[in-house]
Amino acid sequence: MSGVLDELRWRGLIAQHTDIDALEKALEDGPLTFYCGFDPTAPSLHHGHLVAVKVMRHLQLAGHHPLVLVGGATGLVGDPRAKGERMLNERETVAGWADSLRAQLESLLDFDGDNPARTVNNLDWTNEMSAIDFLRDLGKHFRLGTMIAKDIVARRLNSEEGISYTEFSYQILQANDYLELFRRYGCTLEVGGNDQWGNLVGGMDLIRKVEGESVHVLTNPLITKADGTKFGKTEGGAVWLNPQMLSPYKFYQFWLNTADEDVIRMLKVFTFRTQAEIAELERAVAERPHAREAQRVLAEDVTTWVHGAENTERVKAASEVLFGKADPHHLDAATLCDAVAELPKISGELGTEIVDLLVRLGLEKGKSAARKTIAAGGVYVNNQKITDEAYVLSESDLLANGFVLLRKGRKNLNLVQIPFGN
């Protein structure tokens, strides 16, 4: 158990904390119970949630007992946003999202073995509370001035839309979660994103006022790129963990595209690679940046953690296909479809000459030039070099979904799609 805070510091996973010496002593004295909350405000977690989950996993590996709180109650209310009131989702929708988040979280932490994580839902105790209980037992411990002074609340109060009492009261509900987990499980540490600092401290203060006990709070930073901008988003939006919302292939590509100046920090945050392994990868970035060794390790490790080893092997195979290094016939339809989604594409027919396709794709100006390129060995069908100037598409060329990969040289990869039934 000793040294887990040093590990978190080295990885850049600590932003703010309460009495760090007291927390370090508590962590070293024996296993403590800690929790982190996740609100079902969408049907999936995204990559930003992985930072808090990594902190939880490091603490779990050090022997401490994790509670995974899914906010079935707080998800019905919504944490105040910097801009605009949240839309209140239907109860059935939130309940479904809570189930989805629980399933995702149970795949990211260890729920078996000698030190299993445990899932809890704050709807279990919040649903039993009456309005009078809320006001008398909780509300009396919160000073209005302190609640109004919180950054997000202050910004919303000064904006045109203001803030509803519903969102304003969120901080009381979250504070009560810590109190309930302290009472039920002896939980003495809450972890979470740095944007939740005020809410986390509110729970700590509530326990002190109600139970007269001291507990701890630890936040992780919000991850940014070297230029200070937010680390995240794909062309289609958020980096979701749900494979139906973002395919494993696109998820893998997101991490593979990490910039050289960011990749070492991301390895520290999102993987369990050791200091020695990351130091070696840092040397690789400096000496062989074109090889992108660090990016490949990052993409493989995170994709395996989230989507499993089998899916990772599929998307790696798809990447090899796009680089001309593998046979595309072995790819399943879904992975192939994701891999070729951004390629230039035309429709074709069986029996079409390759020279005609090269001209239609703009890869050659005319048939004569196309034949010369083929004869010189510069054209590939499904990563197989062809030298027959009269080559025509046949059924044996068809991949899943009627796709045919047509490449000129090393980089000019295009897609021909043969309609089904052609």
Side-chain angles (χ1 to χ4, degrees):
M1 297 177 191
S2 178
V4 65
L5 284 184
D6 289 337
E7 180 73 10
L8 295 176
R9 286 190 192 98
W10 172 75
R11 292 183 180 274
L13 286 171
I14 297 179
Q16 296 186 82
H17 50 76
T18 46
D19 189 332
I20 196 66
D21 293 331
L23 175 57
E24 193 149 26
K25 184 176 186 307
L27 289 168
E28 291 179 355
D29 281 349
L32 58 75
T33 299
F34 67 96
Y35 96 96
C36 184
F38 301 86
D39 275 350
T41 54
S44 173
L45 300 172
H46 56 72
H47 76 295
H49 292 110
L50 291 176
V51 185
V53 179
K54 272 294 182 187
V55 172
M56 296 185 75
R57 186 68 178 125
H58 281 292
L59 288 166
Q60 184 180 29
L61 287 170
H64 304 290
H65 308 317
L67 295 172
V68 180
L69 184 144
V70 177
T74 43
L76 290 168
V77 174
D79 194 6
R81 297 184 300 181
K83 294 182 179 179
E85 193 85 3
R86 287 185 184 272
M87 180 182 71
L88 294 180
N89 294 297
E90 296 294 330
R91 289 177 180 269
E92 294 77 10
T93 299
V94 174
W97 290 353
D99 288 340
S100 297
L101 263 60
R102 185 182 67 251
Q104 287 182 326
L105 289 160
E106 288 178 354
S107 73
L108 296 172
L109 290 164
D110 186 1
F111 280 76
D112 299 307
D114 296 332
N115 183 30
R118 178 183 298 183
T119 304
V120 294
N121 189 330
N122 58 19
L123 190 63
D124 292 343
W125 53 82
T126 308
N127 220 22
E128 300 171 352
M129 187 186 305
S130 69
I132 293 299
D133 293 336
F134 177 81
L135 293 172
R136 284 179 57 85
D137 298 339
L138 294 179
K140 67 180 180 181
H141 297 293
F142 289 81
R143 303 276 72 82
L144 193 59
T146 303
M147 297 175 70
I148 290 174
K150 291 187 176 179
D151 183 54
I152 292 293
V153 174
R155 271 189 273 171
R156 286 282 296 279
L157 284 171
N158 291 323
S159 67
E160 290 184 4
E161 66 270 15
I163 186 171
S164 69
Y165 181 75
T166 299
E167 288 195 2
F168 181 67
S169 64
Y170 178 95
Q171 54 189 296
I172 300 179
L173 293 178
Q174 183 169 332
N176 185 53
D177 290 342
Y178 200 173
L179 175 61
E180 285 291 335
L181 295 178
F182 174 82
R183 287 170 168 170
R184 294 173 183 230
Y185 302 102
C187 179
T188 55
L189 170 63
E190 182 179 4
V191 299
N194 202 38
D195 58 339
Q196 292 292 308
W197 172 256
N199 290 335
L200 271 62
V201 170
M204 181 189 71
D205 289 342
L206 180 62
I207 291 171
R208 177 179 53 80
K209 291 174 181 177
V210 174
E211 301 290 343
E213 298 286 347
S214 295
V215 293
H216 310 282
V217 165
L218 180 72
T219 66
N220 57 260
L222 305 181
I223 305 302
T224 59
K225 296 187 287 189
D227 61 7
T229 59
K230 187 176 181 180
F231 179 71
K233 301 288 184 185
T234 64
E235 289 184 4
V239 186
W240 299 110
L241 307 192
N242 185 323
Q244 274 69 55
M245 297 173 69
L246 184 73
S247 71
Y249 178 82
K250 291 179 180 178
F251 184 84
Y252 179 90
Q253 292 298 319
F254 167 78
W255 299 99
L256 192 63
N257 291 327
T258 303
D260 287 348
E261 55 267 31
D262 296 318
V263 68
I264 299 304
R265 287 189 302 111
M266 301 311 158
L267 282 164
K268 292 178 180 179
V269 170
F270 292 102
T271 78
F272 288 100
R273 296 283 169 162
T274 65
Q275 292 193 33
E277 289 173 320
I278 292 178
E280 181 58 36
L281 290 167
E282 190 168 15
R283 281 191 290 272
V285 172
E287 297 170 6
R288 303 179 298 278
H290 58 281
R292 299 185 70 75
E293 295 171 42
Q295 282 88 346
R296 288 205 308 274
V297 169
L298 175 66
E300 290 176 21
D301 282 12
V302 182
T303 305
T304 299
W305 185 35
V306 173
H307 294 297
E310 186 175 339
N311 278 317
T312 301
E313 289 306 311
R314 286 198 187 103
V315 299
K316 284 170 60 180
S319 295
E320 292 293 296
V321 164
L322 294 193
F323 284 105
K325 298 177 180 179
D327 182 358
H329 286 89
H330 301 306
L331 293 183
D332 63 276
T335 303
L336 178 62
C337 192
D338 287 329
V340 302
E342 306 300 325
L343 294 179
K345 181 175 74 171
I346 60 171
S347 295
E349 298 177 354
L350 294 179
T352 303
E353 292 189 4
I354 293 298
V355 292
D356 290 329
L357 295 173
L358 290 169
V359 173
R360 284 182 58 197
L361 285 163
L363 297 175
E364 295 291 356
K365 292 182 179 179
K367 293 185 178 182
S368 177
R371 291 190 182 96
K372 289 181 181 179
T373 302
I374 292 172
V379 175
Y380 300 80
V381 173
N382 297 332
N383 292 338
Q384 296 297 313
K385 184 187 295 185
I386 64 168
T387 55
D388 180 1
E389 299 171 26
Y391 192 98
V392 298
L393 290 183
S394 66
E395 282 194 31
S396 63
D397 294 317
L398 297 184
L399 306 174
N401 301 315
F403 292 155
V404 179
L405 296 178
L406 181 58
R407 183 193 307 272
K408 176 190 172 185
R410 293 181 60 189
K411 296 183 178 180
N412 294 310
L413 182 61
N414 297 262
L415 180 67
V416 180
Q417 184 164 24
I418 310 300
F420 289 106
N422 185 283

